[in-house]
Amino acid sequence: MKILGIETSCDETAAAVVENGRKVLSSVISSQIALHAKTGGVVPEVAAREHVPQMIPVIEEALKKADLKLEEIDAIAVTAGPGLLSSLIIGFTTGMGLAKALEKPLIPVHHVAGHMYANFLQTSDEIQFPFVTLTVSGGHNELYLLREHLGFEKLGETLDDAAGEAFDKVAVLLGLPYPGGPAISKVAKNGDQMKIRFPRARLGKESLDFSFSGLKTAVLVEVKAEFAREGKLSDQFIADCAASFQEAVCDVLVSKLLFAAKKYKVCELHLAGGVSANKRLRELLMSQIQVQKFNENLKVRFSQELSYCTDNAAMIAGVAYYYFQKNPGKYSANPAFFPNPQLHILNTFENEK
Ligand code: KG4
Ligand code: ZN
């Protein structure tokens, strides 16, 4: 089954064709990073307007790369939420229009479910349940347990900022460019992660929730103190601060993911979302699995292709296959008008359990 996926939840206009949930025939992403770098973050109205001229050319390119005509597509999948409503609407209405015109099923997809299923793209091995996934990006920071396909059981979530949001805000404090994650990770290579002992919010021994706002404030305090001492931030200070901050984030993320893996005796554990592209996070996870002597059959998944970690449409087309297999009759070529796509999809996500 060949599914055309569409994703416009934030600042990426993306389209992709994926076969049977795993084989990526094409994945095209038009990024607005340069536009939002000027404001140090995404301005929703600016993002939404930019999706409009990009949407159709991006779909055309995805079809061309997959060497398929629109009529050869079996279903249309589109991110319905969560995300910036004004951005979501561009992709959602495009998907609805295509489904109606082609008389093909429209599969509305939850963005975070897409991130989780990105780990199966371009793989063919058996998926083993139960597995636990840490979804960590600019907008989300959650731990999910899946005992079966699409059976999302939320184990924990951030009480304030997502880790990606903290990366982006700390980058601003250190004078680094947007998006903050890759910029911090780059300068951290020259820094000492032990230089500043930033706080780790554990929120109790057994808690699977997260909090990064205190860490953000701790960085602000350090930056202000350095200004008071030196009158500027040296390259070495920025590198040490970035490395120490990154270590504090990764430490908390890894320890909670591993705690959940033990508690639920999982067969697989996954990292997903934009922050899962972080090299130190991956390294620390692998080394802690060794240190904590996990079963050697434990399967660890994170995407080797970094463009599948950050927002993309292949993950949307990928997860849509599983939604469709579970309940093919649910997806109509002529869907009722959803005045608010976010409300619709949030309800369906909760009900998947
Ligand atoms: O998944 P994504 O593209 O969008 C959301 O759904 O939010 O994630 C974007 C986030 C940004 O906050 C960005 O700074 C972060 O992922 N990110 C990283 C890295 N690459 C992207 N954070 C840490 N290290 C990275 N290498
Ligand atoms: Zn995302």
Side-chain angles (χ1 to χ4, degrees):
M1 180 179 193
K2 297 184 186 78
I3 300 182
L4 170 69
I6 297 173
E7 152 68 37
T8 62
S9 67
C10 188
D11 59 339
E12 259 94 29
T13 321
V17 184
V18 176
E19 189 168 12
N20 297 339
R22 298 179 93 164
K23 189 172 179 200
V24 180
L25 304 182
S26 67
S27 178
V28 178
I29 303 168
S30 167
S31 170
Q32 304 177 2
I33 282 181
L35 190 66
H36 301 299
K38 290 181 210 157
T39 41
V42 178
V43 177
E45 174 71 14
V46 175
R49 284 177 185 272
E50 188 61 16
H51 284 308
V52 178
Q54 297 299 329
M55 190 73 266
I56 301 297
V58 163
I59 291 175
E60 283 172 345
E61 200 183 330
L63 289 167
K64 197 171 159 206
K65 285 197 167 149
D67 199 18
L68 289 169
K69 295 195 183 67
L70 208 40
E71 305 77 54
E72 293 172 288
I73 294 293
D74 299 303
I76 313 287
V78 59
T79 306
L84 303 174
L85 191 54
S86 48
S87 287
L88 284 164
I89 279 174
I90 310 300
F92 198 82
T93 49
T94 306
M96 245 171 77
L98 280 175
K100 272 181 200 273
L102 296 167
E103 298 184 359
K104 298 279 163 78
L106 178 75
I107 310 168
V109 168
H110 192 285
H111 181 79
V112 181
H115 273 302
M116 288 187 234
Y117 275 70
N119 281 318
F120 305 129
L121 294 172
Q122 303 297 61
T123 67
S124 54
D125 59 333
E126 198 193 331
I127 301 166
Q128 299 167 68
F129 296 95
F131 66 76
V132 68
T133 308
L134 174 71
T135 56
V136 62
S137 67
H140 343 276
N141 200 136
E142 289 137 15
L143 268 169
Y144 284 95
L145 176 71
L146 279 84
R147 298 181 214 259
E148 56 176 335
H149 274 304
L150 306 176
F152 306 106
E153 295 176 43
K154 197 192 276 177
L155 304 177
E157 62 191 329
T158 182
L159 305 181
D160 40 59
D161 295 337
E165 164 86 5
F167 267 99
D168 294 337
K169 293 282 156 56
V170 165
V172 174
L173 294 177
L174 296 177
L176 298 171
Y178 171 85
I184 287 189
S185 150
K186 193 170 163 205
V187 300
K189 283 187 204 140
N190 308 320
D192 174 2
Q193 67 197 40
M194 310 288 276
K195 191 81 183 180
I196 308 166
R197 177 74 196 172
F198 284 122
R200 275 80 164 145
R202 307 270 178 208
L203 306 171
K205 226 174 157 200
E206 305 259 303
S207 172
L208 292 173
D209 288 329
F210 302 85
S211 166
F212 293 107
S213 62
L215 173 59
K216 215 170 60 181
T217 307
V219 175
L220 177 65
V221 169
E222 284 296 328
V223 166
K224 279 186 173 166
E226 181 70 4
F227 261 118
R229 279 190 300 266
E230 306 291 335
K232 65 175 175 63
L233 302 183
S234 68
D235 287 349
Q236 195 55 54
F237 173 84
I238 292 172
D240 290 340
C241 198
S244 304
F245 161 78
Q246 176 174 262
E247 196 62 16
V249 174
C250 295
D251 182 3
V252 172
L253 292 176
V254 168
S255 65
K256 294 203 179 238
L257 174 58
L258 292 182
F259 184 77
K262 270 187 214 151
K263 184 168 175 185
Y264 294 97
K265 299 185 176 56
V266 299
C267 300
E268 298 193 4
L269 71 84
H270 306 172
L271 293 176
V275 180
S276 75
N278 188 276
K279 217 169 143 228
R280 178 62 190 145
L281 179 63
R282 294 172 171 210
E283 255 171 35
L284 189 65
L285 177 64
M286 297 318 287
S287 67
Q288 281 301 311
I289 285 173
Q290 297 285 327
V291 170
Q292 297 187 27
K293 298 193 170 43
F294 271 82
N295 184 330
E296 58 190 30
N297 293 326
L298 178 76
K299 172 114 195 161
V300 181
R301 293 185 199 260
F302 39 74
S303 191
Q304 297 309 321
E305 171 59 59
L306 295 186
S307 68
Y308 299 153
C309 298
T310 43
D311 290 349
N312 67 89
M315 67 184 195
I316 302 304
V319 72
Y321 172 76
Y322 296 91
Y323 275 106
F324 190 80
Q325 293 301 310
K326 193 172 174 187
N327 195 351
K330 189 170 161 188
Y331 303 105
S332 152
N334 204 4
F337 180 62
F338 306 127
N340 180 344
Q342 301 217 67
L343 275 184
H344 166 77
I345 193 63
L346 291 177
N347 290 337
T348 61
F349 193 56
E350 295 305 323
N351 293 340
E352 294 292 348
K353 278 186 206 164

